[in-house]
Amino acid sequence: MTNLPALTKREFTAYFYSPMAYVIATGYLIFSGLSFYILLKDTRDANAMRNLLTFLGFIHTIFVPMVTMRLIAEERKTGTLEMLVTAPVSDVEIAVSKFLGALGFTVLMIAPTLLYTWIITRVGGRPDYGLVWASYIGLVCLTAAYISIGLFISSTTANQIIAAILTFVVLFTVYFLLGFFAGSVRGLPWKDTINWPEVVTYVHFSSHLESFGKGLVDTRDIVYFLSVVGLGLFLTVKSLESRRWR
Amino acid sequence: MTAPAPAAWSAQRRAGVATNVAIQLACLLAVLIGLNWISSRRYARWDLTAQAEYSLGDKTRQLLGRIGEGEAKYQVVVFYAPDEYGAWEAALRKTKDILEEYRTNSHGRIEYEVLSLYTGGREAVMDAVKRHKIRTEQFSPNDVLFKKGDTERIVNLSEFFQQDWSSAPQGQPPKLTAFNGEQIITSTLQALSQEKPIVIGFTAGHEESSPAKAGGEGYSIFARQILEKREGYEIRQIQIGGPEGVPKGVDLVLVAGPLRDFTESDVRNLKLYLNAGGRALFLLDAYPDRDGRKLVILNAFLAEWGIIAGHDLVIADADSALAVEIPGEGGTSLRTKDPTMFRPAKYENRHLITSKFDSDKEIHFVGACSVLIDPKQAPEGIKTTVLVYTNADTFATPLFPQVKTFVAGKCMDGPFGLAAAAEGKIKGNAGPETRIVVIGDSTALCDGIWGMKVARPDLVLNSIRWLANQEYIIGVDPKTPEDRSLVLTDSEDGYVFRVAVFFLPLIAIAFGGTMWLTRRSQ
């Protein structure tokens, strides 16, 4: 893992040379700004960040795929992946550096939204800062999970658009759609031993974001998101390795 | 010389590697599922909110720490019935959050589930009814069932919170002004956990409000639904004038609004009981006797303990008086302020009973009499404290019911006491300390007032808990959500829009443009 810092730096700085990154960041800030404005007007609550977290979770299902789509798919398409894998770096280092680079860029993209709290204080509101911090911890955990999924999908195809669409479909399902299915899975096999609605609710990303939005940091949610990150990275590494034997 | 090309992978070898990867994946999934399973059972939560909204108080944690491994599990089932205004939603959310804390802190000894009666599906509700052997006829919407083995308690969600409808915008749910859930849940769990219930003896024989009588001046709602069903006390009606005195097994004596004076033998027996470390709660009124007689003997007895109950009626000023609906002709009603129904102005925070009350606390007095203290009259070793005060604009008149206006020289000016406590050990008492509470009002908890939905039992309940040595329940703080509402003016609205939707994205564009120009110039 000695090459990890250098590789991560390369991945992170690469974003700043791409005009696409600024387009994504600008689009993200416009969408999140609009959500914040509408929520503040609608809820009339200085703790609008509580509800904004749910919105940002949804907005990230659109913007994170745009960040992750090129991670490996582009390198595969342009052939630079072969150069990278012949270099003396392991597949694990490649996967983790790309993950950390994307996470660093996304966190930087989210950072300006912290100024919403400052805007609230400027117009006389008193936000609960503990709640704000918990919300952002949750948002970063969620984003890390999203990126690991996006990274894996990007490693399975050479087409960026397909990678983005597939990632969006998966994220949208896990973040949003699963909630609707929780009640309708009672009839699945082994229903006497496995509480399927509970399992589906547990896998549902939104359910793990709920506590953060209230100002609570819960180890169960952190363990869950880290598990998703671990699984995503493992699958990415195996996907990279598979080019040797497929 | 070129390197030899790697030999092509045979189908068999590829299948072998794929199997290997599948096994690795299965192992990883097993580890992750195991990790999540363990973390769902052993977890920690940090409450970062400014008011520690989701944290349980020390007193509750102490109670949960006492719940043993060998005990039956505690089950809590909320039968939630949503309403069209969403008025119950915020309270339900808070209840779920706090129940989650109970589950966490009891290491799973307390389990809960929330069933939505109208939207949750009939199957789920019927399943819960079957599992918990619930008799459906005993339930009302928004009831919360607490169960341990075969013992159960029922509390309604409406007791968990206070709302302010007056400031709610049209069509919007009201604001939650106080959340009392922790205190109620803790006291109900405590009631379930105790092996032998605490016995409250309601005195009879002096035309007191009876726990057996329903409606009007009866005490059936407070005694049966609150004290017995919810708090887990055992209620008995007792005679104290006989040779036996206060019956054995009675943990505290409750005198609820007597209309006839006590006899000499009553007070003699009561004195013997209290001298030996007994506990008594007196709820008195401004109209003690229908024949115009006063509670001379009882009041003289209380004075011996340093508590002076007045033969007067408390008249409140317009600010403290409650607005009530008076039925008129043809089904109409008139909303007017009744100066004999009012909210006190101040509570003594140095006494445990009222330590958690602030001046906004919703407690109502109805047809009350003054209650003062005279420490000089109290026996040695007994300390007296006034618990509740009126404001300066309130007065007490002894000329009622004929005159209800202030008469100089005859009436007592506010502020003065409405409730008082005496505690300590008198000389020669080797047992527990004696505790007495006198509240200048019994009417506020009678069935008629519950019917008007203005009954607030907190003061009486805390007095009973203090008398019954259940101090840890009083120590649970009610939570008052901080008002963080924000109404934007037009200019502020424009400012928020400009900064959030234009200015911040512009930063990203400017940064990107700068980077592009820098690279171009290199």
Side-chain angles (χ1 to χ4, degrees):
Chain A
M1 290 294 229
T2 50
N3 301 310
L4 189 62
L7 282 172
T8 305
K9 191 180 169 194
R10 170 190 173 267
E11 289 297 331
F12 181 64
T13 48
Y15 281 101
F16 298 96
Y17 299 125
S18 155
M20 187 64 183
Y22 298 106
V23 173
I24 293 170
T26 307
Y28 173 78
L29 288 174
I30 290 173
F31 269 91
S32 55
L34 267 174
S35 307
F36 167 71
Y37 171 73
I38 292 166
L39 275 173
L40 195 63
K41 273 196 85 167
D42 189 46
T43 60
R44 304 179 194 200
D45 185 357
N47 276 341
M49 301 302 280
R50 192 191 299 254
N51 302 318
L52 183 66
L53 182 66
T54 314
F55 270 77
L56 290 183
F58 177 69
I59 291 172
H60 279 218
T61 62
I62 300 165
F63 284 91
V64 168
M66 292 184 196
V67 175
T68 59
M69 65 182 183
R70 51 163 284 277
L71 285 175
I72 297 174
E74 189 185 34
E75 301 226 33
R76 199 186 281 273
K77 191 180 176 187
T78 55
T80 50
L81 185 65
E82 290 311 314
M83 282 168 63
L84 191 61
V85 294
T86 49
V89 291
S90 67
D91 290 340
V92 175
E93 283 175 327
I94 294 171
V96 174
S97 63
K98 284 187 178 294
F99 168 77
L100 291 177
L103 184 63
F105 171 74
T106 319
V107 168
L108 207 65
M109 189 171 83
I110 297 168
T113 62
L114 270 170
L115 289 172
Y116 297 156
T117 313
W118 173 75
I119 295 174
I120 291 172
T121 55
R122 289 274 297 164
V123 292
R126 288 179 305 113
D128 185 335
Y129 291 101
L131 190 146
V132 173
W133 285 121
S135 298
Y136 275 91
I137 291 170
L139 193 61
V140 171
C141 286
L142 178 81
T143 306
Y146 278 6
I147 290 171
S148 73
I149 293 172
L151 180 66
F152 165 61
I153 293 174
S154 175
S155 74
T156 58
T157 174
N159 189 323
Q160 291 186 41
I161 304 299
I162 291 176
I165 292 171
L166 268 177
T167 307
F168 169 74
V169 170
V170 171
L171 297 185
F172 187 73
T173 305
V174 183
Y175 181 76
F176 197 68
L177 289 184
L178 273 187
F180 292 109
F181 297 134
S184 56
V185 292
R186 287 178 195 281
L188 287 179
W190 306 303
K191 63 178 178 183
D192 294 333
T193 45
I194 301 173
N195 186 343
W196 286 112
E198 209 171 288
V199 171
V200 172
T201 307
Y202 190 80
V203 175
H204 190 205
F205 276 11
S206 289
S207 67
H208 291 278
L209 212 55
E210 218 171 89
S211 298
F212 291 112
K214 289 173 190 160
L216 293 167
V217 177
D218 193 319
T219 52
R220 284 172 298 181
D221 302 319
I222 293 173
V223 166
Y224 174 73
F225 284 127
L226 287 180
S227 302
V228 175
V229 170
L231 182 65
L233 289 178
F234 174 83
L235 291 173
T236 307
V237 171
K238 292 298 152 192
S239 171
L240 286 172
E241 280 176 3
S242 71
R243 75 191 180 280
R244 298 198 189 99
W245 56 269
R246 263 197 310 186
Chain B
M1 196 177 157
T2 53
W9 286 56
S10 67
Q12 195 181 1
R13 201 174 167 198
R14 278 206 297 270
V17 175
T19 310
N20 189 303
V21 171
I23 291 169
Q24 285 180 34
L25 180 61
C27 289
L28 178 75
L29 281 175
V31 168
L32 293 180
I33 289 169
L35 205 64
N36 278 267
W37 186 81
I38 293 167
S39 88
S40 69
R41 271 147 189 80
R42 294 263 176 251
Y43 55 91
R45 297 218 301 179
W46 293 276
D47 184 353
L48 303 189
T49 56
Q51 283 186 292
E53 279 175 55
Y54 305 96
S55 302
L56 297 177
D58 291 341
K59 305 285 180 185
T60 300
R61 285 170 195 268
Q62 282 168 21
L63 172 75
L64 297 181
R66 288 201 296 270
I67 294 178
E69 279 290 321
E71 280 187 64
K73 277 194 176 181
Y74 292 72
Q75 310 279 343
V76 184
V77 189
V78 183
F79 293 87
Y80 174 56
D83 68 316
E84 60 178 311
Y85 300 106
W88 296 78
E89 252 180 63
L92 179 78
R93 251 196 325 268
K94 282 206 165 287
T95 305
K96 272 165 80 176
D97 290 333
I98 206 159
L99 284 171
E100 184 58 36
E101 288 300 318
Y102 276 85
R103 192 163 77 125
T104 308
N105 284 280
S106 69
H107 303 293
R109 307 297 304 155
I110 296 169
E111 289 178 345
Y112 75 94
E113 62 183 305
V114 177
L115 298 167
S116 187
L117 291 183
Y118 306 139
T119 57
R122 189 181 154 77
E123 196 188 335
V125 175
M126 292 317 291
D127 179 50
V129 166
K130 209 166 127 188
R131 264 186 293 120
H132 299 292
K133 296 176 191 149
I134 294 165
R135 284 165 287 141
T136 46
E137 69 279 2
Q138 71 183 105
F139 275 91
S140 309
N142 291 311
D143 268 352
V144 184
L145 169 74
F146 292 78
K147 209 168 159 75
K148 183 195 173 195
D150 292 330
T151 319
E152 61 185 42
R153 300 267 175 265
I154 299 165
V155 186
N156 197 271
L157 202 58
S158 60
E159 293 175 45
F160 284 42
F161 61 92
Q162 286 176 23
Q163 290 178 323
D164 177 16
W165 281 90
S166 62
S167 62
Q170 188 88 28
Q172 296 272 323
K175 194 173 284 175
L176 207 65
T177 53
F179 184 71
N180 216 18
E182 187 183 344
Q183 199 169 34
I184 289 173
I185 294 169
T186 298
S187 67
T188 312
L189 291 173
Q190 161 65 24
L192 279 178
S193 71
Q194 64 198 19
E195 286 169 10
K196 181 185 158 294
I198 289 166
V199 179
I200 300 176
F202 272 73
T203 58
H206 316 92
E207 293 188 33
E208 291 97 334
S209 296
S210 165
K213 187 186 165 199
E217 292 162 2
Y219 250 44
S220 70
I221 295 176
F222 177 63
R224 300 296 175 201
Q225 287 189 21
I226 305 293
L227 292 180
E228 214 168 46
K229 219 168 148 188
R230 190 182 96 186
E231 302 282 317
Y233 297 108
E234 187 181 317
I235 304 295
R236 285 187 204 162
Q237 280 197 279
I238 56 169
Q239 301 279 351
I240 57 170
E244 194 200 349
V246 175
K248 283 203 166 53
V250 171
D251 296 298
L252 74 96
V253 172
L254 199 155
V255 182
L259 294 175
R260 299 276 172 199
D261 202 359
F262 275 42
T263 63
E264 292 294 346
S265 64
D266 288 334
V267 294
R268 193 172 51 246
N269 288 338
L270 209 46
K271 192 171 181 177
L272 281 172
Y273 169 74
L274 290 172
N275 282 353
R279 311 290 165 97
L281 171 61
F282 298 87
L283 305 175
L284 306 178
D285 286 301
Y287 302 92
D289 194 312
R290 284 182 181 140
D291 302 332
R293 285 173 300 184
K294 295 167 181 173
L295 302 177
V296 178
I297 297 172
L298 179 60
N299 285 6
F301 168 74
L302 292 174
E304 287 177 27
W305 292 92
I307 298 177
I308 316 296
H311 291 123
D312 50 22
L313 171 70
V314 178
I315 306 285
D317 63 309
D319 287 343
S320 324
L322 292 182
V324 288
E325 302 267 349
I326 297 174
E329 285 177 11
T332 58
S333 65
L334 177 68
R335 196 166 172 80
T336 181
K337 285 205 166 184
D338 182 347
T340 65
M341 291 178 78
F342 60 95
R343 278 167 63 164
K346 195 183 138 201
Y347 300 95
E348 178 54 77
N349 293 134
R350 282 172 298 183
H351 197 283
L352 193 64
I353 293 175
T354 42
S355 59
K356 305 290 178 187
F357 293 178
D358 58 29
S359 54
D360 290 332
K361 181 78 183 166
E362 267 204 65
I363 286 175
H364 305 151
F365 277 70
V366 181
C369 65
S370 64
V371 177
L372 315 175
I373 58 167
D374 184 358
K376 284 180 200 154
Q377 288 193 52
E380 198 183 325
I382 296 292
K383 185 184 138 201
T384 51
T385 315
V386 173
L387 302 174
V388 185
Y389 294 91
T390 66
N391 66 13
D393 297 327
T394 298
F395 65 92
T397 172
L399 306 171
F400 71 97
Q402 294 81 11
V403 183
K404 286 186 181 174
T405 50
F406 185 78
V407 179
K410 295 273 185 189
C411 298
M412 178 167 59
D413 257 331
F416 49 81
L418 292 165
E423 62 200 288
K425 278 190 181 189
I426 65 160
K427 215 172 170 184
N429 173 16
E433 71 170 15
T434 302
R435 288 183 178 181
I436 300 169
V437 176
V438 180
I439 298 174
D441 177 27
S442 79
T443 319
L445 291 181
C446 68
D447 288 1
I449 301 292
W450 283 96
M452 291 165 72
K453 298 194 186 304
V454 290
R456 300 286 182 266
D458 293 13
L459 177 63
V460 176
L461 269 181
N462 271 7
S463 301
I464 290 173
R465 288 163 180 160
W466 179 69
L467 292 167
N469 286 343
Q470 294 177 305
E471 286 91 342
Y472 52 87
I473 300 175
I474 303 172
V476 178
D477 285 316
K479 289 197 166 75
T480 309
E482 204 174 325
D483 185 9
R484 292 183 190 272
S485 57
L486 179 64
V487 180
L488 300 177
T489 61
D490 285 346
S491 66
E492 286 170 340
D493 186 280
Y495 172 79
V496 172
F497 188 79
R498 280 192 304 276
V499 178
V501 185
F502 285 111
F503 181 68
L504 290 182
L506 266 179
I507 294 176
I509 294 170
F511 192 65
T514 312
M515 286 296 285
W516 182 74
L517 285 173
T518 310
R519 287 198 70 203
R520 204 169 163 226
S521 63
Q522 280 171 353

